[in-house]
């Protein structure tokens, strides 16, 4: 008789352990991510907000609290608004054609083709290539005197263009670099989503006489709309944080100016490059001003990404 209460107690203990395991284990598994996020993501974000409220430079031992003074000065800074315009311009020129081309390439690779694996691997090669190598090569292609692009344009009577000197031309050159690096990567994401679309829909559309382009518009794009929304948002965030390409382009092309100015006339200085200039390239190392610029850039990223999300989500049937 004494063994019965013992068995009941053991079952209760096992039940409690099982309940704790089911309820606590998931949080234990994801805890390392949140700990790392708090240490290297949340804390720097909060600390940057605190620094932005001070006159904080490395040359001074004291940091004076000035409230929103840095933000007020920043909103009146023409260089900041110039960097904002450059960021939006380069982002639009690189993101819109990039996503359209990525969907088209994914649609082509979604068919039965020979050497499919080879083509898919080739799409990913630009993304794994060093950004330094990409910018150096494209800077030579867009060279004023001996660049391949100008040589081809000369066939059509177009004179030599100094791509790095002008605002529009430098934005086009940088957009081409970004498109070359990221189009294949996004195409593989779209291709993975297309693989989940039922083949019966394409077979029925083929029997109805629908062309390949019609199937893309009426079947593929509506079916992968969640993936399109995801890629649009991620691409928008990436476009708002461009820094390596304009920084290296200014040095490789020999356009003059400092490493963080984006050309002598700041014609291709982005927001991220502006933040780098204020915090690390200026002789004052003004961390307070750079932190304020970082927070305004963060707000701009959230607003632009949110607008893109709402527009993409409201488009009936995807991009039909």
């Amino acid at each position: 008789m004494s063994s019965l209460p013992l068995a009941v107690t053991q079952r209760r203990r096992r039940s409690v352990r099982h309940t704790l395991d089911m309820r606590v284990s998931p949080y234990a598994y994801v805890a390392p991510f949140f700990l790392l996020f708090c240490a290297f993501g949340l804390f720097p974000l909060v600390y940057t907000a605190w620094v932005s409220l001070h006159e904080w430079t490395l040359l001074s031992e004291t940091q004076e609290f000035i409230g929103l003074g840095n933000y007020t000065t920043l909103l009146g800074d023409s260089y900041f608004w110039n960097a904002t315009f450059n960021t939006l311009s380069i982002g639009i020129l690189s993101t819109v054609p990039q996503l359209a081309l990525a969907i088209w390439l994914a649609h082509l690779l979604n068919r039965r083709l020979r050497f499919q694996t080879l083509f898919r691997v080739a799409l990913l090669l630009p993304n794994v290539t060093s950004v330094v190598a990409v910018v150096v090569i494209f800077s030579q292609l867009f060279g004023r005197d001996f660049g391949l692009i100008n040589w081809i344009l000369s066939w059509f009577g177009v004179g030599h263009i100094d791509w790095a000197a002008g605002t529009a031309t430098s934005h086009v050159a940088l957009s081409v670099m970004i498109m070359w690096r990221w189009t294949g990567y996004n195409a593989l994401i779209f291709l993975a989503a297309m693989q989940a679309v039922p083949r019966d829909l394409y077979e029925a559309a083929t029997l109805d006489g629908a062309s390949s382009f019609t199937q893309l518009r009426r079947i593929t794009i509506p079916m992968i709309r969640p993936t399109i929304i995801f890629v649009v948002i991620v691409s928008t965030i990436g476009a708002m944080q461009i820094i390596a390409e304009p920084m290296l382009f200014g040095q490789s092309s020999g356009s003059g100016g400092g490493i963080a100015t984006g050309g002598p006339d700041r014609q291709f200085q982005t927001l991220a490059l502006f933040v780098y200039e204020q915090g690390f390239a200026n002789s004052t190392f003004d961390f307070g001003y750079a932190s304020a610029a970082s927070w305004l850039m963060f707000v701009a990223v959230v607003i632009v990404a949110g607008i893109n999300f709402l527009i993409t989500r409201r488009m009936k049937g995807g991009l039909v």
Side-chain angles (χ1 to χ4, degrees):
M1 296 294 293
S2 60
S3 61
L4 183 60
L6 180 61
V8 173
T9 302
Q10 291 177 346
R11 284 197 299 271
R12 288 178 179 175
R13 289 177 179 176
R14 285 195 297 268
S15 177
V16 171
R17 286 198 298 268
H18 177 72
T19 302
L20 291 176
D21 180 65
M22 295 297 294
R23 294 184 177 181
V24 177
S25 293
Y27 297 99
Y29 296 147
V30 300
F33 165 77
F34 286 102
L35 291 176
L36 292 174
F37 172 75
C38 291
F40 300 102
L42 184 61
F43 172 74
L45 191 66
V46 175
Y47 190 69
T48 301
W50 172 252
V51 172
S52 69
L53 302 177
H54 293 74
E55 186 67 36
W56 195 302
T57 65
L58 291 184
L59 302 181
S60 176
E61 296 182 357
T62 59
Q63 294 82 35
E64 180 184 357
F65 181 82
I66 58 174
L68 299 178
N70 283 323
Y71 294 93
T72 303
T73 305
L74 192 63
L75 292 176
D77 191 341
S78 60
Y79 290 159
F80 170 76
W81 291 111
N82 172 73
T84 302
F85 167 77
N86 292 339
T87 303
L88 293 175
S89 175
I90 296 173
I92 294 174
L93 289 175
S94 62
T95 302
V96 176
Q98 173 194 149
L99 297 181
L101 184 58
I103 292 178
W104 179 70
L105 288 174
H107 179 66
L108 293 180
L109 291 178
N110 196 35
R111 300 179 177 183
R112 292 183 177 88
L113 299 174
R114 299 179 63 182
F115 309 112
Q116 279 188 340
T117 303
L118 177 63
F119 289 134
R120 293 173 183 178
V121 172
L123 283 179
L124 197 58
L125 286 179
N127 184 251
V128 300
T129 304
S130 170
V131 63
V132 177
V134 172
V135 176
V136 169
I137 293 174
F138 274 89
S139 296
Q140 299 301 317
L141 293 176
F142 284 100
R144 181 188 61 184
D145 298 320
F146 306 104
L148 179 62
I149 305 298
N150 279 340
W151 179 62
I152 295 176
L153 291 177
S154 66
W155 299 350
F156 305 96
V158 180
H160 285 189
I161 300 175
D162 191 351
W163 293 93
T167 299
T169 54
S170 61
H171 291 187
V172 170
L174 287 169
S175 299
V176 171
M177 299 179 198
I178 298 169
M179 286 174 57
W180 188 83
R181 286 196 68 217
W182 292 102
T183 298
Y185 177 83
N186 289 327
L188 290 181
I189 296 179
F190 288 136
L191 179 60
M194 291 178 185
Q195 295 289 307
V197 179
R199 309 302 299 183
D200 297 343
L201 297 176
Y202 294 109
E203 294 175 0
T206 302
L207 293 176
D208 290 339
S211 64
S212 177
F213 181 70
T214 302
Q215 293 180 25
L216 174 64
R217 292 176 55 246
R218 300 297 184 181
I219 298 177
T220 304
I221 291 180
M223 294 296 292
I224 67 169
R225 187 170 62 170
T227 304
I228 293 177
I229 295 175
F230 168 77
V231 173
V232 167
I233 293 175
V234 172
S235 299
T236 301
I237 295 174
M240 294 293 291
Q241 298 176 339
I242 299 171
I243 182 172
E245 287 84 357
M247 178 183 291
L248 296 172
F249 181 60
Q251 295 300 304
S252 299
S253 61
S255 60
I259 189 175
T261 58
D265 297 324
R266 299 176 181 268
Q267 62 267 28
F268 51 88
Q269 184 185 49
T270 59
L271 280 173
L273 208 54
F274 176 81
V275 172
Y276 175 82
E277 179 192 16
Q278 300 303 320
F280 299 98
N282 278 349
S283 59
T284 57
F285 299 100
D286 195 344
F287 280 11
Y289 199 65
S291 298
S294 298
W295 263 92
L296 288 184
M297 186 176 72
F298 170 75
V299 172
V301 170
V302 172
I303 292 175
V304 174
I307 292 174
N308 276 342
F309 172 75
L310 293 176
I311 292 176
T312 309
R313 189 176 181 181
R314 290 178 180 273
M315 294 176 71
K316 296 182 179 180
L319 301 177
V320 180

